[in-house]
Amino acid sequence: MRVFKKLRAYSMFLIVLLFVLFACGSCASTGKTAAREAAAKSTDATTSLGGTSIAIAIPKRTTRTYFSRIDSAIMEAAENGSPESIRLAVSLLRKPELNYTETEKVLLSLLADVMRIAWPSERVEWDTPTVTEETPYLGAIDSVRKGIYDLSTGNVDFFTLVLPSLVVINDSTVSSYAVPAEQALLAGRSIRPQSTLANYLLGLLYQKTDRAEEALAYFVQAVQSSPATLETSFAHASCLKALNRMSEAFTIADALHSRYPNNIRVLKLCAETSFALNNFSAAEEYVARVLQQTPNDLEYVLFRARILAEKGDYIRAVSLLDVYSRQDTTSRDYLLLRAHVQNDWSKNVNAAVATIENALARYPNDIEVLLFAARLSSATGAPLAGKTSEEFAQAVLAIDAENNEARRYEIEGMMQNGSWESAYTSSKALMRQSNSSIDIFTHIRICLETKRNDEAWNLIAPLYAASPDDEDVLQSYVLVLVRTGRTAQARSLINAQLGQANSYMKSFFYYQRSFLVATQEESLADLRSSLIANPRNSDALFRLYEIYYARSDYRRAQYYLRQVVALNPNNTAMRRRNDELSELIK
C-alpha cells in the first residue's frame, strides 16, 4: 500500500512537470512570433516617388549582418565611404600577417572597388586579398561595371542598399531605375546620415533626373564631410552652374584648378563658368589649355571660336570655324556661330540668312535658332524661311512663355507692321516680367502711338525726376513732351540743353525741335543742323526725304532716302521706297 501511494505521488509530479514545460514552450513561441512581427514592422521603410511606393527594409543596427563580426569603428569608417574614411577603415583592418577572415577579405575588396569607381582621382594603395566566397556585395560591383543596377542584393545592410547606385556615376540615363535607387539611397542614409558616399550618389541621381535644387543639398553635405575630395567639390560646382549660380561655381572651380591644374574636367568647368561671367580672356586661357591636351576636341575648337567672336577677334574666330567645318557643317552651335559672324562682322546678311535657314531646317524647335531667325527677320524687315520675326518670336513663346527676348522680337515685329494695339498688349505683359529701362522706353513709344499719353507721361515723369542727366531718360522725356503737346516746356528744355550737349544729343535735340517751329523752312534748318551734328541720324534724313517728297522734289528726296538705305542696307521697306522713287523719277 505504501509503495502504491509513492507511485501515485510520483505520477502526479510528472504530470505537473509536463504541463509546466508545455505552457512555457507555448509562451516562448508566442513571444517569438510577436517579436518577429514587431521587428518586421520596425524594419519596413516605405518611400514614395511619383505615386510609386517601394518598401525598402532598413535593418536595425542590432541585427546581425554579414559584417557584424568586424569592429564597429571599422564599419563606421567604411560606410562613410569618403577616400579618407576608406583609408582609415583599411588601416584599422590591416593585419601584419595578412591572415584575414573571408569577411575581412570581402570588405577590403569592396572598399578598393568603391575607391576606383566613386573616387577615380584617388589611388588604391593596399593589396586586395583574393576572395573565394560569392556575396551580394561584390555581385553588385560586377553589375555596376556592366552598367546594370542590381536589384537582387537583398537590402539587408548599408552596403547592399548603396552599392548598386554606383552605376549612377557613369550612366547618363538613370530613369529606368531612378525610383528604387532613390529609395535605397535614402534608406542607406537613414543608417549612416553623414555618409559621403550616400550623399554624393543621391546628389548625382537627383542631378541626372533634373532635380538640381534637391541635388545641391546632398552635394553640400558630401563636401562638408569630405572637403578635400575632387569629385564631391566638382559635383557641387557643376550643380551650381546648372542652377545658373555662376559666380559661386567659378569660385569652387578656381580653387580646384589650383589643386589640379591639369585636370581636363576642372579646366572645362573653369572655362565655361568664366565665359558665363563674361570673363572672355580667362575663358580663352582655360580653353587653350584644354586644347593643348586634347587638340582634336571639336567641341572646344568651336567654343574657342565663340570666345574669340565675343572678344571681337573675328579673323581668328573664322579661322577656327573653317577648321571645324572640315569635319562637321551641320552642328547647331556651328551654324549659329557662323551666322553670327556673317551678320555681325562680314555684314553679309544674305549669307547669314542662308545659314540660319539651314539651321531652321535641321533644328526647327531650337529656341536659340528661332531667336536668331527672329533677329535677322526684324533687322531686314522681311520674312525668313517664309516667316516674320513676329512668328518666330511666337514660336519661341509657345515653348517658353517667359522668354523676354522673344517677347521683345514679337513687339518689334508688331511695331514694324503698325499693329500698335497688339504691340501694346504684348509690351504690357513684358513690363510685368521685366524691370529693364529699355522695355520701359519701348512701352512709352507704344503708348504715344496708341494715344495713351497719360500712361506715357506717368511712366517717364518719375524716371526724369530721378535721373535728369541720363541720356536715354532725357531723350524719352523730350519725346513725350513733344508728342503730348507740352510745346513750351519741350522748347525750353531743348534750348537749355543744346549749349552743353554732345554731338549725338545735339543732333537729337535739333531733330525734335524741328517739330516745334512755326514754318517748314525753320524745320528744314533744324534738320540740317541735326545732320551737321550727326550725319548718320537716320530719323533726320528720313524726315527730310518726307518733306521733299511732299513737295514733289523727288531728286532731292531720293538724295536723303539713299543715305537712309546706306545706313540700313537690310531694311527691305526702305529699299522698296527707293526703288519706287527711282521709277517715279524716270
Side-chain angles (χ1 to χ4, degrees), residues 329-372:
T329 58
T330 61
S331 156
R332 162 214 181 256
D333 291 337
Y334 165 78
L335 291 170
L336 271 173
L337 185 55
R338 178 68 82 179
H340 274 287
V341 171
Q342 289 167 334
N343 184 66
D344 300 340
W345 179 58
S346 305
K347 306 300 181 186
N348 189 341
V349 179
N350 291 333
V353 167
T355 301
I356 211 66
E357 284 182 336
N358 184 5
L360 283 167
R362 295 177 183 278
Y363 311 99
N365 297 314
D366 184 272
I367 286 180
E368 283 196 57
V369 172
L370 290 167
L371 285 173
F372 195 75

Side-chain angles (χ1 to χ4, degrees), residues 207 211-217 236-246 248:
Q207 190 173 36
R211 297 160 69 182
E213 285 286 359
E214 294 171 81
L216 184 62
H236 183 202
S238 298
C239 191
L240 288 167
K241 173 175 169 280
L243 292 168
N244 205 32
R245 292 164 61 173
M246 294 299 175
E248 296 169 79

Side-chain angles (χ1 to χ4, degrees), residues 385-460:
K387 293 183 179 179
T388 64
S389 63
E390 184 181 340
E391 289 173 317
F392 285 122
Q394 288 169 349
V396 173
L397 291 169
I399 301 169
D400 177 11
E402 306 299 315
N403 193 301
N404 288 345
E405 187 179 355
R407 186 72 67 188
R408 291 184 186 104
Y409 284 127
E410 180 190 45
I411 293 166
E412 280 182 26
M414 292 170 174
M415 291 166 69
Q416 287 177 350
N417 297 331
S419 304
W420 293 104
E421 285 297 331
S422 298
Y424 176 81
T425 302
S426 290
S427 181
K428 200 75 174 175
L430 179 60
M431 290 275 285
R432 285 193 289 269
Q433 299 175 27
S434 168
N435 292 321
S436 169
S437 57
I438 295 174
D439 296 329
I440 294 174
F441 298 143
T442 300
H443 190 70
I444 287 170
R445 184 188 166 194
I446 293 170
C447 286
L448 293 173
E449 294 293 338
T450 56
K451 307 303 180 186
R452 292 177 170 87
N453 293 344
D454 288 343
E455 185 175 347
W457 176 255
N458 291 334
L459 284 170
I460 194 57

